[in-house]
Amino acid sequence: MNTFPADFLWGGAVAANQCEGAYNEDGKGLSVQDVLPKGLKGARTETPTPDNLKLEGIDFYHRYKEDIKLFAEMGFKVFRTSIAWSRIFPEGDEEQPNEKGLQFYDNVFDQCLKYGIQPLVTISHYETPLGLAKKYDGWRSRKLIGCFERYCRTIFTRYGSKVKYWLTFNEINSLLHAPFMSGGIMTPAEELSEEDLYQAMHHELVASALAVKLGHELMPGAKIGCMILGITTYPLTPDPDDIIATMLKDRETMIFADIHARGKYPSYLKQYFKDHHIQIQMEPGDEEMLKHTVDFISFSYYSSNCATVHTELGVSTGGNLSRGYKNPYLKASEWGWQIDPKGLRYTLNKLYDRYQLPLFIVENGLGAVDQLVTLENGEKTVVDDYRIDYLRQHLLQVREAIHDGVEVMGYTSWGCIDVVSASTAEMKKRYGYIYVDRNDDGSGTLERYRKKSFGWYQRVIKTNGASLDEEV
């Protein structure tokens, strides 16, 4: 029987902006998320609005002890979360950090370590300080590299003895698709040129490499990875033109992993710049900085899609930030995301074959409308067999990839506790093992309830994956 490594890191993932709330407490400044009341799918506002569920999130800021205790009950080995940059530097460019913000994350990490849970910390998870967006137009400005360096130096110095695993930018390739949410770029997307976006990308890549360099200097035992939005694309037909279309689509994702893992711009990107008259402004030392490569590659994986030149044959589909064509052999979630467990095995093999670096699946899960029910014994729960089946099928494919020879460090399913959706700012799109009593209109008690999947995942972790062979 195929098995998971003995030191496999089982856990779950959230982002500060989707769970913490307390958007204006203890000196926190505003982030770009605080002015996106409808999430990625809506327009931004100048100031926070009352209907922005993210302003209160699920109140993790005040309930982190209760929530981490529940994660420990499931047996988590690792908990992926992020630091809200604007809790530490409210405007983003201050000389001195906010001590109350620093203390909050001390408390969170201490609570994790109390239960033997390793924190996996994303440094920038779609939460650029709004001050940097307004003052500099976000990552379009090279000024942000210096601000990011000060931020990294601060948190590495403060938490280096508590945090072994770090990620620089969440889904860094999303900058090309969502410049405001991903990069704090205030200029409307329709007014940005490709050159503008790739210049901002360059600034983030230099900052990411600088974080790796700094992290290795300040925390010699730490492992620092990149995080890629994993978009797996198949050719819709065997037409060689569809194969080429798939190759070109793949490169939109692989650019970022290539630079993080290989330390330089790939030749195909340089040729693309030449063909499209894109000139990236590089400062002396940038190319040397990019050579500080990551220790591992992490990625999100929810679905796959197809590429084709035969647009008349295809039906459009996609996730939050990707667009492609439907695969006729796959089913889809309630939100239209195609469900493809074997695509995860394929993705793991493809990435490992390309880079020979350890891989970490840091997001995977099923967003669904859950119904809270009361059992005969009075216990409230969600009978989410559909989620269990989704996760089980994907984890079986992770196990197959490990058997194929892929080095997989761990797995943190997305939204291990229900959080506010990044794409739509809804609560009804739930991913968690723990149901949070909060609704789209802001009502609810915020009480936590274990779903059926809670006990299922608890057993998966306890048996190090052996229970995946049991039928649900």
Side-chain angles (χ1 to χ4, degrees), residues 232-417:
T232 294
T233 305
Y234 307 127
L236 186 63
T237 77
D239 183 339
D241 285 339
D242 277 6
I243 307 300
I244 297 298
T246 301
M247 178 188 76
L248 296 175
K249 188 72 175 174
D250 264 348
R251 284 178 173 176
E252 294 178 14
T253 302
M254 306 311 288
I255 290 168
F256 296 84
D258 280 349
I259 297 168
H260 274 107
R262 294 173 171 168
K264 61 183 180 179
Y265 276 59
S267 57
Y268 64 81
L269 182 58
K270 292 179 180 179
Q271 188 61 45
Y272 182 87
F273 287 168
K274 185 176 179 181
D275 292 343
H276 291 79
H277 309 290
I278 294 170
Q279 292 188 321
I280 300 302
Q281 297 299 314
M282 288 201 185
E283 297 292 331
D286 283 2
E287 289 183 307
E288 284 300 310
M289 184 61 71
L290 290 176
K291 292 179 182 178
H292 292 276
T293 54
V294 293
D295 300 309
F296 64 95
I297 294 173
S298 76
F299 64 97
S300 57
Y301 180 87
Y302 294 98
S303 62
S304 62
N305 56 34
C306 295
T308 185
V309 298
H310 303 288
T311 55
E312 74 282 0
L313 298 178
V315 179
S316 181
T317 188
N320 283 352
L321 298 165
S322 63
R323 284 292 175 267
Y325 293 93
K326 284 187 178 180
N327 187 326
Y329 295 96
L330 299 177
K331 297 178 181 179
S333 73
E334 293 176 76
W335 271 264
W337 297 17
Q338 293 209 278
I339 299 171
D340 181 15
K342 290 182 180 178
L344 180 52
R345 176 186 180 186
Y346 169 73
T347 301
L348 286 163
N349 274 274
K350 182 175 71 172
L351 290 171
Y352 196 66
D353 287 350
R354 191 174 180 113
Y355 302 115
Q356 289 84 52
L357 283 175
L359 303 177
F360 207 138
I361 306 152
V362 294
E363 289 187 30
N364 172 244
L366 178 68
V369 177
D370 291 340
Q371 296 298 323
L372 189 66
V373 298
T374 303
L375 303 179
E376 289 183 3
N377 63 3
E379 178 187 348
K380 290 185 177 181
T381 190
V382 174
V383 183
D384 55 343
D385 290 331
Y386 43 88
R387 179 170 293 108
I388 292 171
D389 181 66
Y390 175 99
L391 295 167
R392 175 174 178 263
Q393 295 303 326
H394 281 78
L395 284 169
L396 285 170
Q397 294 303 316
V398 174
R399 194 171 72 179
E400 288 298 319
I402 292 169
H403 183 67
D404 293 334
V406 179
E407 186 179 355
V408 186
M409 295 170 62
Y411 174 89
T412 57
S413 55
W414 177 249
C416 48
I417 182 171

Side-chain angles (χ1 to χ4, degrees), residues 121-134:
V121 176
T122 312
I123 299 169
S124 180
H125 192 133
Y126 293 162
E127 42 206 338
T128 306
L130 189 62
L132 296 181
K134 289 183 173 181

